Structures are given as structure tokens and as C-alpha cells.
Amino acid sequence: MDSIKQSFRQFSNERFEQRFAEIKREVLDDRHVRSFLNSNPGLTKEQTENGINELYQYKEQWKNCDYCPGLDECPNLMSGYQPVPALYRGEIQLEYKPCLLKKKEDERRRQASFVQSLYIPKEMTEVTFDDFHEDNPSRIEACTKAMAFCADVNPGEDGQGLYIHGPFGVGKSFLVGAIANYLAEAETSTMIVYAPDFFRELKNGISDGSYQDKLNLVKQAQVLILDDIGAETMSNWIRDDILGALLQFRMMEKLPTIFTSNFNLDELEIHLSSTQRGGVERVDQLKAKRILERIRHLNKVIDMKGENKREK
């Protein structure tokens, strides 16, 4: 990041004082700088003059943030970090704190390094509600309900979630990607887990000792999205020890859960009742019904219909 002196090199000596005064006036008129000075009324004129270079860098880097080009192209002195002015022994100095995009990316990397099933296709990390330009009434209604959920979500106080179901390719995963990205902008932590891979990964975690830590990480997410529930091969262990325990914890802690599935709720109940033992026993039906009661109680249903966009 250039200092004021470096920016003066293009000017002759006779214009130096004039240009310096102009730049200083621009710095002191900047809204971010004014906010800092107003919050520190004890600053003397001399302290402000001595700190003009730091305030100049503060202004210039926040200009980048105001018109953010994205984390990959961040031009700030420290990519992904925003300057914060502070007083240290009577002098204005800059500290650097990670921006929202940097925090989001660091958290995603931390989670993904621990739970491999958190891998999300690139298109899901970029989609927003503005991308839904639909004339299909079902998709319009689904998008409206999803936006209403985002407006009302309150993890820890209200555990109301969504159950989004429909056939292949109608945009269920696309929709939850928009939800996750919207909530990330609102600084609400959202974890998207591809359910079949997650269940397999937990099974492998029994042998390497990571099972409980991985389960706890997912259980405690502020907003959890279980993508493609019902695509897994069902077993008593998945139903009772993972899914049942997961939903029980989240219900007690009032943490919202969003499901996507090719099954409607009645079909999901049948799926949860059918295990690898073959057939359907009375005890399996009761356990499946208990899980479905929780889902029905805590999740608004979104029925998505339409043509398969993957085939276009």
C-alpha cells in the first residue's frame, strides 16, 4: 500500500504543499476516518497530523472493501484483512482483522479439513436468491419460503427448519446453496453436509477415533443442511445412533435443520423403516415414526416440482 509520500512523487516541489493539503483534506473528509476521529474526541491536532499516513492507508484500503472485488482479488495490504485504527502510546496505528469473506472461507476450510463430506460443488458456493429467475410457480413458491426462513431464522431461540423435497434436478441443492450464502452474509454459520457421504464417513470414523468429534461438529452447527437425505443405504445404526441422536440434540438446543430429499415425508418414513436386515419390523416402524414426528413438528415442507434442469 503506497504512503502519501509515494503518491507525491509525480508532482514537482512547488506543487508538493498544495497536493499534500488536498490529500490531507480528502483523508479527513473520508467517512471512515471521520467516524474514527469522532469516536476519539481526545485526539490532538498534532496526533492527527502525525498519524495522517496511517489514516490515508486506512481510507484507501477501506475504499477497496467498500467496492470489494472478492477474496481472491483483494488488493489490500493483507489480503482478506481490513484495517482498524487504534491508539498505541498516543500514536495512531493500524491493526488488521479478517473480513467477513475471510472468516467465512477460513471456517469453511477448517470444517472441510475435518469433515470431508462437507465438500460443496462450486456453483452452490456462488448462488444467490437473485439467480432464481423462474416462471415455474413451484420454484417461485419454494424460493419465497426459503427467503422467509432466512428472514426469521434464530438459532438457539427457534429450531424451525425446512424439509425440501422433489424429483431429481429441480433445484433443491441450488436452493439450499442460496440459503447458506444468504445466511453467511448475515454472519449466521451454516453447514451443508451431503448425507450419504457423511454417514459413510462417520462409520469410518469409528476405527480412526474421529467419530464423536465429527458428529459433535455437525450436531452443533447453527444451521445444518442435510442434503439428499434418503439416498443412503439405511441401517439401524444410521437411523437410531446418528440421525435420531442428531435430531434430538438439535431439537433440544433449538437449532434449525434443513433437509433436501427425493422423498416426501411419507416416503422417508418408509425408507427409515426398511433396514439391511430385510423386511419391516414393528420396532423399526416405531423408531422411524418417532424421527418423522420430530421432522414434521420442526420443519416447514417445501414441495418442489418442475423439469429436470440437469438434462438441459
Side-chain angles (χ1 to χ4, degrees), residues 131-288:
D131 296 318
F132 282 78
H133 304 294
E134 296 287 348
D135 56 7
N136 181 303
S138 175
R139 287 200 181 99
I140 293 174
E141 182 181 4
C143 185
T144 301
K145 288 182 178 179
M147 293 175 69
F149 167 82
C150 290
D152 297 336
V153 68
N154 190 10
E157 298 295 331
D158 183 357
Q160 186 74 47
L162 298 172
Y163 186 86
I164 306 169
H165 71 92
F168 292 105
V170 295
K172 301 184 296 297
S173 296
F174 198 70
L175 182 61
V176 295
I179 293 173
N181 293 327
Y182 181 95
L183 293 180
E185 293 297 322
E187 299 192 58
T188 299
S189 175
T190 304
M191 185 180 294
I192 305 179
V193 176
Y194 181 62
D197 283 354
F198 176 60
F199 296 144
R200 282 194 294 269
E201 190 173 343
L202 282 185
K203 186 175 181 179
N204 294 333
I206 295 175
S207 58
D208 64 24
S210 64
Y211 165 78
Q212 195 60 54
D213 288 338
K214 289 181 177 182
L215 181 58
N216 287 341
L217 178 69
V218 174
K219 281 168 60 175
Q220 295 167 10
Q222 280 190 294
V223 177
L224 173 63
I225 299 175
L226 282 176
D227 191 31
D228 214 4
I229 190 75
E232 69 286 334
T233 300
M234 185 49 56
S235 69
N236 290 348
W237 179 72
I238 290 175
R239 182 193 61 210
D240 304 335
D241 295 340
I242 299 180
L243 192 56
L246 184 70
L247 297 184
Q248 176 66 18
F249 177 89
R250 297 186 64 77
M251 180 180 69
M252 297 299 293
E253 296 298 320
K254 296 183 178 180
L255 297 173
T257 305
I258 299 173
F259 303 84
T260 74
S261 181
N262 296 129
F263 294 148
N264 62 32
L265 289 176
D266 291 337
E267 292 168 336
L268 182 65
E269 182 173 342
I270 294 172
H271 172 72
L272 294 177
S273 301
S274 306
T275 65
Q276 292 171 310
R277 293 180 304 188
V280 178
E281 298 183 8
R282 176 66 175 167
V283 65
D284 294 321
Q285 291 177 322
L286 291 175
K287 289 180 178 180

Side-chain angles (χ1 to χ4, degrees), residues 27 29-38 55 58-59 62-63 65-66 85:
V27 169
D29 284 344
D30 179 77
R31 64 185 180 91
H32 297 294
V33 174
R34 287 203 314 270
S35 177
F36 168 71
L37 296 177
N38 290 338
L55 294 176
Y58 177 54
K59 175 184 81 74
W62 263 99
K63 186 192 298 182
C65 295
D66 288 338

Side-chain angles (χ1 to χ4, degrees), residues 13 73 91 118 286:
N13 290 335
E73 299 181 17
E91 296 183 353
L118 294 183
L286 291 175

Side-chain angles (χ1 to χ4, degrees), residues 2-210:
D2 290 343
S3 67
I4 293 180
K5 290 182 179 179
Q6 288 174 309
S7 69
F8 288 160
R9 289 174 180 168
Q10 59 183 305
F11 300 103
S12 60
N13 290 335
E14 57 268 23
R15 294 185 59 197
F16 181 91
E17 292 296 334
Q18 178 184 352
R19 183 55 183 154
F20 178 78
E22 291 174 357
I23 289 183
K24 187 169 70 171
R25 185 165 53 251
E26 291 172 3
V27 169
L28 297 179
D29 284 344
D30 179 77
R31 64 185 180 91
H32 297 294
V33 174
R34 287 203 314 270
S35 177
F36 168 71
L37 296 177
N38 290 338
S39 64
N40 292 274
L43 272 173
T44 65
K45 183 178 180 180
E46 181 181 6
Q47 287 174 311
T48 302
E49 291 278 354
N50 291 339
I52 199 69
N53 189 58
E54 283 70 23
L55 294 176
Y56 171 79
Q57 293 190 25
Y58 177 54
K59 175 184 81 74
E60 289 298 295
Q61 292 182 77
W62 263 99
K63 186 192 298 182
N64 297 332
C65 295
D66 288 338
Y67 300 95
C68 177
L71 188 59
D72 291 341
E73 299 181 17
C74 176
N76 277 359
L77 186 63
M78 297 176 61
S79 181
Y81 287 81
Q82 295 170 323
V84 179
L87 288 176
Y88 182 72
R89 294 182 179 179
E91 296 183 353
I92 299 173
Q93 296 188 7
L94 295 182
E95 301 173 349
Y96 288 84
K97 297 183 178 180
C99 70
L100 177 60
L101 292 180
K102 175 67 173 172
K103 290 178 182 177
K104 177 183 173 182
E105 177 62 15
D106 287 348
E107 178 63 12
R108 186 194 68 78
R109 289 180 181 272
R110 184 189 72 82
Q111 293 176 349
S113 68
F114 191 61
V115 180
Q116 299 303 310
S117 50
L118 294 183
Y119 169 76
I120 304 300
K122 184 175 177 59
E123 59 269 20
M124 285 181 67
T125 67
E126 299 175 345
V127 64
T128 70
F129 287 119
D130 291 337
D131 296 318
F132 282 78
H133 304 294
E134 296 287 348
D135 56 7
N136 181 303
S138 175
R139 287 200 181 99
I140 293 174
E141 182 181 4
C143 185
T144 301
K145 288 182 178 179
M147 293 175 69
F149 167 82
C150 290
D152 297 336
V153 68
N154 190 10
E157 298 295 331
D158 183 357
Q160 186 74 47
L162 298 172
Y163 186 86
I164 306 169
H165 71 92
F168 292 105
V170 295
K172 301 184 296 297
S173 296
F174 198 70
L175 182 61
V176 295
I179 293 173
N181 293 327
Y182 181 95
L183 293 180
E185 293 297 322
E187 299 192 58
T188 299
S189 175
T190 304
M191 185 180 294
I192 305 179
V193 176
Y194 181 62
D197 283 354
F198 176 60
F199 296 144
R200 282 194 294 269
E201 190 173 343
L202 282 185
K203 186 175 181 179
N204 294 333
I206 295 175
S207 58
D208 64 24
S210 64

